[in-house]
Amino acid sequence: MSVDINEICEQSFATHKATLIQDSDRYLIIDWRREDGSVNYYVNYIVDKKRGSLIVSGDLGDSIATWYNHLEPADLKRYIHNDVGYYIGKFQCTSDKYSFDTENILSSIKYHIEDDVVIDYV
């Protein structure tokens, strides 16, 4: 059985409505969510026109793409639609593959914090 991503998207986003939150000289902010207000599959778009950044955040994940120059939303649409690879190349990424050793963290905190500071927060 094959999965058709277009069908899944059509079903998942069928009742989504866009709401313009802000459109100033600097920022364009659009909230896109189900018409019942649910956060299931919601997406928030922030365009920093001056810096040339598109920040996408929401229920399905987050990304930041930056062109480092003035950017009009109409141009941004064209950049993404005509060359998705170029858009992906503008992503700013970090990795969350860092492994935390809980015991080391706790012993370091205990070593570096004086007792009177800890007592103030208890």
Side-chain angles (χ1 to χ4, degrees):
M1 179 172 111
S2 68
V3 176
D4 182 7
I5 190 69
N6 292 326
E7 286 180 28
I8 292 170
C9 288
E10 284 179 25
Q11 290 172 1
S12 298
F13 298 101
T15 66
H16 274 58
K17 303 291 181 199
T19 303
L20 179 63
I21 304 299
Q22 178 179 344
D23 190 7
S24 66
D25 290 341
R26 176 82 190 254
Y27 296 105
L28 171 68
I29 303 173
I30 298 171
D31 188 62
W32 191 49
R33 65 179 66 223
R34 289 176 23 177
E35 62 188 355
D36 66 4
S38 170
V39 295
N40 289 340
Y41 300 116
Y42 90 92
V43 184
N44 183 265
Y45 302 92
I46 302 172
V47 178
D48 182 336
K49 299 173 191 179
K50 184 176 179 181
R51 185 165 189 250
S53 292
L54 171 62
I55 302 161
V56 180
S57 62
D59 187 40
L60 301 173
D62 306 287
S63 70
I64 299 174
T66 304
W67 283 261
Y68 299 103
N69 55 17
H70 182 80
L71 182 67
E72 288 297 322
D75 295 332
L76 180 59
K77 179 186 175 201
R78 193 173 64 251
Y79 295 159
I80 295 170
H81 182 75
N82 291 340
D83 192 349
V84 172
Y86 177 69
Y87 166 60
I88 291 171
K90 297 297 182 180
F91 284 7
Q92 305 293 313
C93 299
T94 62
S95 173
D96 61 357
K97 291 186 179 184
Y98 180 78
S99 176
F100 295 96
D101 182 338
T102 306
E103 287 302 316
N104 285 345
I105 293 170
L106 291 175
S107 65
S108 180
I109 290 171
K110 289 175 184 176
Y111 177 80
H112 291 290
I113 296 180
E114 297 176 315
D115 289 340
D116 58 339
V117 174
V118 173
I119 290 171
D120 288 344
Y121 290 99
V122 176

